[in-house]
Amino acid sequence: DSVSPATWQDIWLNEGFATYAELLWRERTGQGGPGDLAATYAQPTSLLDLPPADPGPTQLFAPSVYDRGALTLYVLDQTVGREVFLTILRTWLERHDDSSASTAEFEALAEEVSGAELTPLFDAWLRAPRMPALDDWVG
């Protein structure tokens, strides 16, 4: 919560991060983890067929914002590796602590830190109208 969304369209940055942080805590304490969410949504579901980066004014707190937002971070974590992923998170906080930031800024930072082209990942997970198949993104 120390980084506020620049606009309401960026709400997934708060809610998806909160959901994913809880899953990382569960993983660390041996109570499950991100894999549990991934297993729940291993098959695409219409419940998450709403792009988290633009849920619309009546769907700001829809399950997609939380769970598909968290799955976006899970796929990013799996794609760049945990060490790089954590560096992205630390750098995000260093640059935007006690301020606001946008999805575009997060995407640019993730690409900067990882050195990878991540537009297809973010397009599929944040902007596509249908939830992507998780198996297409993680092994």
Side-chain angles (χ1 to χ4, degrees), residues 38-138:
T40 299
Y41 294 114
Q43 298 301 314
T45 171
S46 62
L47 180 65
L48 301 185
D49 280 349
L50 177 73
D54 191 9
T58 63
Q59 298 293 318
L60 288 174
F61 300 103
S64 181
V65 171
Y66 293 81
D67 292 346
R68 191 165 153 187
L71 285 167
T72 301
L73 297 171
Y74 173 73
V75 171
L76 177 62
D77 188 355
Q78 296 296 303
T79 299
V80 301
R82 179 61 54 89
E83 185 177 324
V84 172
F85 179 74
L86 293 175
T87 301
I88 291 167
L89 299 186
R90 282 188 210 99
T91 306
W92 179 249
L93 287 174
E94 288 169 7
R95 291 188 186 175
H96 301 289
D97 189 31
D98 291 328
S99 65
S100 61
S102 68
T103 298
E105 289 172 296
F106 179 74
E107 291 178 41
L109 175 69
E111 288 187 339
E112 173 191 329
V113 171
S114 70
E117 166 57 47
L118 299 170
T119 301
L121 183 154
F122 290 122
D123 283 348
W125 286 93
L126 294 177
R127 288 180 279 284
R130 297 213 180 274
M131 182 180 146
L134 197 53
D135 286 348
D136 291 344
W137 293 90
V138 296

